[in-house]
Amino acid sequence: FYQTQAGNINPNSVVLGLTRSSTTFTIPKPSKYSRKRLSQVSDMIEPLRAVRDGYLLTLIIGTPGQVIQVYMDTGSDLTWVPCGNLSFDCLDCDDYRNNKLIGTFSPSNSSSSFRDTCGSSFCIDIHSSDNSFDTCIEAGCSLSTLLKATCSRPCPSFAYSYGEGGLVAGTLTRDNLRVHGSSPYITKDVPRFSFGCVGTTYREPIGIAGFGRGVLSLPSQLGFLQKGFSHCFLAFKYANNQNISSPLFMGDTATSSSDNMQFTPMLKSPMFPNYYYIGLEAITVGNVKSAEVPLNLREFDSQGNGGMLIDSGTTYTHLPEPFYSQLLSMLQPMIAYPRATDVERRTGFDLCYKVPCPNNRFTNDPFPSITFHFMNNVSLVLPQGNYFYAMSAPTNSTGVKCLLFQSMDDISYGPAGVFGNFQQQDVKVVYDLEKERIGFQPMDCAAAAISQGLHKN
């Protein structure tokens, strides 16, 4: 399976890569505010489709509109789509060769498509870490146009790096973007939306909608960085179900809290100010509170490393050592089921158990509860399906469930931990950007989707 890892080799952005391993199970595939408001889009609601490693947002780009599905990713800024019907090339992506989710964009088939220019704020931003040269100098503009700032040559091609070696290369393009309004039945066109038209990738088979706080991000270009957005991710059992979608809200509707919403402060990373960090103070297993969480899960060092990144583009929650191993040590004595060590070896998960399944049906097993305690006295009790998950269908009245947390490979650079999308299922998560806080409220996201008309009968 693919698993997204928090990491970065670009000093100005946190992005996500994909690392390869293998399995035979059908389990989740872990795969500066805007300088000006480019549109006056009011409140929006967009459907998100659950897949095996994340949540897909449908973009309608061009004239006439071309439909492309991309991951919603709060851990990066750039929105990019695969470009060129037959020429798009994804290296080391054999697992996706026949994937029906891959859609490509053809600029030549859109009457409103054009290359972004070298002097645009988006071009400057995407090349900000390349070198100290002016982007219009790179584009080969004449001296007279450089002095007058009138050069309109195309923005130079970019290469956008992702952790663990992921990479996308392409051109910065502008075109019409069609979005939904306050209901799924209302649409609005956003002209001159800037995105990456990508022809070649390495380990990045599907496009990404960046929801960070940089000028290139989708919320930034739609004018929502002064407000915020929220999502309610469907449980994984709905993965690949075409008939129901997770609701994504943007604007005032997204940040209007209910009585049961708990908010934790949004921490500001001096290294990665465009991304969303929260502070973890403790984890309770059953009725036993964990040993004190290391300070680097709620503080940053002098270089800006540390903090817990909350990320819709990372599948599983990652915790640093030795805290991660301490959590495993707390769990093991509380679970009486026999270990499924063969499954652990094959999947790479650390705690897998054989559980009884009467009539070959999984039941609500008595696994200990897990509660995350964030800053400002916020306590989030995880639904059991968010941490112990069935690896395959039961046989002979027995099934296997594994703990879907993982250790952070390297905490010497970047975030100390990541709160992944699998642990955010059936939880309403609010990014209140105006008040610099993130809210949590356990919720039946399927019921919320139905109430918003995001269910097909």
Side-chain angles (χ1 to χ4, degrees):
F1 55 92
Y2 285 89
Q3 170 197 312
T4 53
Q5 293 282 346
N8 182 40
I9 58 176
N10 181 329
N12 292 297
S13 63
V14 173
V15 288
L16 299 171
L18 300 169
T19 56
R20 175 180 289 278
S21 58
S22 61
T23 180
T24 57
F25 297 120
T26 304
I27 59 176
K29 279 186 111 180
S31 53
K32 4 149 178 93
Y33 287 88
S34 174
R35 294 191 182 102
K36 70 174 185 175
R37 182 170 176 156
L38 296 184
S39 68
Q40 298 297 322
V41 178
S42 58
D43 290 350
M44 283 173 52
I45 176 171
E46 293 286 342
L48 296 172
R49 180 183 170 193
V51 291
R52 54 186 172 177
D53 53 352
Y55 295 84
L56 293 176
L57 174 65
T58 297
L59 300 181
I60 303 175
I61 301 176
T63 307
Q66 301 175 43
V67 178
I68 302 99
Q69 291 182 311
V70 297
Y71 285 116
M72 180 204 172
D73 183 14
T74 58
S76 64
D77 279 336
L78 174 68
T79 294
W80 67 267
V81 298
C83 275
N85 294 336
L86 298 176
S87 59
F88 174 70
D89 187 21
C90 180
L91 306 176
D92 199 10
C93 295
D94 291 341
D95 203 32
Y96 280 81
R97 287 299 177 195
N98 298 317
N99 198 315
K100 302 297 185 183
L101 299 176
I102 296 180
T104 58
F105 175 72
S106 177
S108 61
N109 292 334
S110 171
S111 62
S112 51
S113 178
F114 62 97
R115 284 275 296 273
D116 209 346
T117 58
C118 61
S120 82
S121 61
F122 303 118
C123 181
I124 294 169
D125 186 80
I126 202 167
H127 286 285
S128 59
S129 64
D130 292 353
N131 53 53
S132 58
F133 290 112
D134 183 279
T135 52
C136 286
I137 292 177
E138 284 189 76
C141 295
S142 67
L143 181 59
S144 61
T145 58
L146 286 171
L147 293 174
K148 297 176 183 177
T150 58
C151 184
S152 59
R153 287 183 66 87
C155 179
S157 298
F158 68 84
Y160 196 79
S161 58
Y162 285 71
E164 300 298 322
L167 184 73
V168 301
T171 58
L172 207 58
T173 302
R174 293 203 190 211
D175 208 333
N176 187 71
L177 172 68
R178 179 163 294 173
V179 298
H180 291 94
S182 55
S183 84
Y185 310 105
I186 300 173
T187 61
K188 178 178 177 64
D189 288 346
V190 181
R192 299 172 57 85
F193 180 78
S194 187
F195 60 96
C197 190
V198 169
T200 305
T201 72
Y202 179 62
R203 294 182 176 175
E204 297 291 349
I206 298 176
I208 291 173
F211 269 67
R213 304 179 76 173
V215 297
L216 279 164
S217 78
L218 191 144
S220 173
Q221 293 193 56
L222 297 185
F224 287 123
L225 286 190
Q226 305 299 337
K227 295 181 179 180
F229 57 91
S230 69
H231 56 69
C232 195
F233 290 154
L234 289 172
F236 179 67
K237 66 183 179 180
Y238 294 103
N240 299 316
N241 187 325
Q242 302 276 2
N243 295 321
I244 190 166
S245 304
S246 303
L248 165 67
F249 295 94
M250 303 179 72
D252 291 330
T253 302
T255 56
S256 57
S257 62
S258 61
D259 294 338
N260 297 321
M261 182 68 65
Q262 301 180 77
F263 285 97
T264 188
M266 192 181 294
L267 305 183
K268 294 182 180 180
S269 165
M271 179 183 290
F272 306 121
N274 288 0
Y275 307 107
Y276 309 106
Y277 284 83
I278 51 180
L280 182 66
E281 295 188 324
I283 294 179
T284 297
V285 178
N287 295 319
V288 181
K289 184 164 285 191
S290 66
E292 186 175 352
V293 168
L295 286 175
N296 65 354
L297 279 172
R298 57 185 181 276
E299 294 181 359
F300 303 101
D301 65 18
S302 58
Q303 284 76 44
N305 301 298
M308 177 168 249
L309 183 73
I310 177 169
D311 184 14
S312 68
T314 297
T315 309
Y316 306 127
T317 290
H318 288 64
L319 298 170
E321 292 289 4
F323 179 66
Y324 173 73
S325 293
Q326 293 170 4
L327 177 64
L328 299 186
S329 298
M330 293 175 63
L331 277 164
Q332 290 180 64
M334 300 183 185
I335 301 171
Y337 300 125
R339 291 278 288 274
T341 54
D342 57 329
V343 178
E344 292 173 1
R345 286 192 297 269
R346 281 183 282 177
T347 63
F349 293 115
D350 293 297
L351 289 183
C352 296
Y353 293 93
K354 300 175 183 178
V355 298
C357 297
N359 300 317
N360 282 333
R361 292 178 178 272
F362 282 105
T363 59
N364 291 325
D365 304 290
F367 286 106
S369 62
I370 294 181
T371 304
F372 276 65
H373 302 275
F374 299 110
M375 294 174 66
N376 200 34
N377 295 318
V378 170
S379 296
L380 177 62
V381 181
L382 297 182
Q384 189 182 110
N386 288 19
Y387 54 100
F388 273 105
Y389 187 78
M391 293 292 101
S392 61
T395 58
N396 299 323
S397 298
T398 302
V400 174
K401 290 186 176 182
C402 293
L403 177 70
L404 299 193
F405 290 174
Q406 294 185 323
S407 64
M408 199 76 181
D409 289 340
D410 181 11
I411 61 169
S412 62
Y413 184 82
V418 183
F419 192 56
N421 65 50
F422 199 84
Q423 279 66 50
Q424 298 174 46
Q425 298 171 101
D426 277 331
V427 177
K428 182 180 179 181
V429 181
V430 174
Y431 292 74
D432 187 340
L433 304 184
E434 181 182 7
K435 296 182 179 178
E436 302 282 333
R437 59 185 188 170
I438 292 180
F440 299 99
Q441 181 183 356
M443 183 176 291
D444 183 341
C445 293
I450 293 170
S451 70
Q452 295 298 326
L454 299 178
H455 177 65
K456 299 176 183 177
N457 294 323

